[in-house]
Amino acid sequence: MFDELPVPGRNDACWCGSGRKYKKCHMSNDEKLEELYYQGLEVPSRAMLKTARDIEGIKRSAEVNIGVLDYVAEHIGPGVTTEQIDRWVHDYTVEHGAVPAPLDYEGYPKSVCTSVNDVVCHGIPSEDEVLEEGDIVNVDCSTILDGYFSDSSRMFCIGKVSDEAQRLVDVTKAAVEAGIAAVKPWCRLGDVSAAVNRVATDAGYTVVREFGGHGIGLEFHEDPFVSFVEPADTGIVLAPGMCFTIEPMVNLGAQEIDMTDPNGWTVRTADGSLTAQWEVQLVVTESGIELLSW
């Protein structure tokens, strides 16, 4: 087989653990992946594909992740510090039997990322950072429950924001929605990238090259890397069972970013312009997609 993993017999139990015979479960998909592989396309190994059991576990994790962001939505506003948001996220997650995935991840010191105005990603919550009327902030929340990972983020407008800030937030969300609509079983990852990029650039914005989405489920960050600057009809084939995030970072100004913050994490737009990001997590199905976290 193309991925050098063992192949069950037709009447043996499927490798995915469903208990069904291989011929009635994954055999036809495996044969299709094998065919595409020999056509020269990049295809996922079966190790990248989430089983039905995995997806159920991810959904339970995502219930907590979504609940956290709903809680933030109910309480965020002018005068709130980003440190308060971190405490909300940490306490809600732990109270629901889960673990905040960012906490201590490669040394990250907090339970959530809070990226305000010109911060592209990985903003570290602080008591000194007080949200003010007119700010826009991305709250990026990731959860581990029973070994399964979920991940999503939302933009929040603090009080009344400028028309240009509101438009950036809205267009970025529309770009994510276009990416979701572009996901089809057996299409290419570049089709998703191109759909997202088109919405953002048609509106006059730029899309960050260096950061993007990622596979997720059994680990925080898995293959594939999900770029939003690649052309259509390129990249890995999206087979049923692939689970990943769509999370473009869209800048009001230039595409370039500044990664020189002494904290080693926070990334800003190089020109100080506003930036926005929404993130969803989904799994490719036989007929389309299932949205898991948003």
Side-chain angles (χ1 to χ4, degrees):
M1 185 62 71
F2 65 95
D3 58 8
E4 300 182 353
L5 295 174
V7 182
R10 290 173 54 85
N11 292 309
D12 292 340
C14 187
W15 57 262
C16 73
S18 66
R20 301 170 65 199
K21 291 182 178 180
Y22 182 50
K23 66 183 179 182
K24 292 186 177 295
C25 196
H26 271 89
M27 190 174 82
S28 62
N29 280 1
D30 289 354
E31 289 175 343
K32 186 163 188 174
L33 286 169
E34 177 100 334
E35 179 184 352
L36 294 171
Y37 174 80
Y38 282 108
Q39 290 175 14
L41 299 184
E42 181 185 0
V43 299
S45 72
R46 284 172 289 167
M48 289 176 63
L49 306 180
K50 303 300 181 283
T51 67
R53 180 178 179 180
D54 293 334
I55 293 166
E56 288 307 309
I58 295 167
K59 284 181 180 178
R60 291 192 295 273
S61 176
E63 287 178 4
V64 179
N65 207 70
I66 294 165
V68 170
L69 288 169
D70 286 346
Y71 184 92
V72 171
E74 292 170 2
H75 294 85
I76 198 169
V80 167
T81 68
T82 52
E83 177 69 22
Q84 283 178 278
I85 297 171
D86 183 72
R87 288 199 297 270
W88 296 340
V89 170
H90 181 274
D91 292 350
Y92 184 103
T93 304
V94 171
E95 287 166 6
H96 287 78
V99 176
L103 186 61
D104 297 325
Y105 176 76
E106 296 185 353
Y108 186 77
K110 296 292 183 176
S111 296
V112 69
C113 296
T114 51
S115 301
V116 182
N117 293 332
D118 66 333
V119 175
V120 173
C121 59
H122 305 158
I124 299 177
S126 169
E127 281 287 6
D128 297 328
E129 187 170 48
V130 182
L131 297 178
E132 299 177 353
E133 182 101 7
D135 286 339
I136 60 173
V137 55
N138 177 267
V139 178
D140 190 348
C141 184
S142 311
T143 301
I144 313 168
L145 180 66
D146 299 329
Y148 291 103
F149 288 74
S150 55
D151 191 9
S152 54
S153 78
R154 300 181 196 171
M155 291 298 300
F156 296 100
C157 295
I158 307 304
K160 181 171 177 53
V161 303
S162 68
D163 290 345
E164 70 172 4
Q166 187 67 61
R167 181 172 181 266
L168 175 65
V169 169
D170 293 344
V171 168
T172 304
K173 187 175 185 180
V176 171
E177 291 167 348
I180 294 169
V183 179
K184 305 285 192 300
W186 310 110
C187 80
R188 308 280 292 279
L189 188 56
D191 301 338
V192 181
S193 167
V196 169
N197 192 278
R198 187 178 308 113
V199 171
T201 56
D202 282 356
Y205 302 136
T206 61
V207 181
V208 171
R209 296 180 297 256
E210 293 86 350
F211 293 91
H214 51 91
I216 183 171
L218 306 183
E219 300 290 343
F220 197 170
H221 295 95
E222 303 172 353
D223 290 332
F225 173 70
V226 183
S227 169
F228 301 107
V229 295
E230 296 299 321
D233 202 30
T234 64
I236 196 169
V237 172
L238 299 183
M242 289 185 69
C243 183
F244 58 91
T245 67
I246 297 177
E247 49 177 314
M249 300 164 201
V250 179
N251 296 346
L252 181 66
Q255 188 178 53
E256 288 71 26
I257 60 175
D258 177 358
M259 301 176 65
T260 62
D261 193 292
N263 68 31
W265 284 98
T266 302
V267 180
R268 293 179 171 81
T269 55
D271 60 6
S273 63
L274 293 174
T275 184
Q277 176 196 17
W278 295 82
E279 177 183 11
V280 299
Q281 178 182 1
L282 58 81
V283 63
V284 183
T285 68
E286 295 287 348
S287 59
I289 66 108
E290 184 173 6
L291 201 58
L292 303 178
S293 191
W294 57 86

